[in-house]
Amino acid sequence: MIPARFAPVLFGLILSGLMSLVVSGITALRTSGGAAGFTGLWIGAWLTAWLFAFPIVLLVAPLARRLVERLVQPATKAD
């Protein structure tokens, strides 16, 4: 098991991997029209996107958390 202190980094790794997989797949499909070589195009695009997405998620996550905290009402005992 991975120590709990690494949870935010692991979350960012998984989230950025999944999101970049989906977005690059949609983009590759639109670009190639599903033609031969689509899978290779998709995997190449995904790995490139993930290379950028992971560090960006780690940098932007604290800002997003603070923004959410400002937009959401604090929980009450009834919540």
Side-chain angles (χ1 to χ4, degrees), residues 15-27 42-43 46 49-50:
L15 179 64
S16 64
L18 292 173
M19 288 301 299
S20 60
L21 179 72
V22 171
V23 172
S24 63
I26 293 167
T27 304
W42 183 6
I43 297 301
W46 172 53
W50 199 3

Side-chain angles (χ1 to χ4, degrees), residues 20-75:
S20 60
L21 179 72
V22 171
V23 172
S24 63
I26 293 167
T27 304
L29 183 61
R30 290 201 59 197
T31 302
S32 72
F38 164 73
T39 304
L41 179 66
W42 183 6
I43 297 301
W46 172 53
L47 292 174
T48 302
W50 199 3
L51 180 68
F52 287 89
F54 179 51
I56 291 170
V57 164
L58 293 180
L59 291 172
V60 174
L63 174 65
R65 277 190 211 101
R66 285 193 297 273
L67 182 59
V68 168
E69 288 172 1
R70 289 183 181 187
L71 295 172
V72 175
Q73 293 179 347

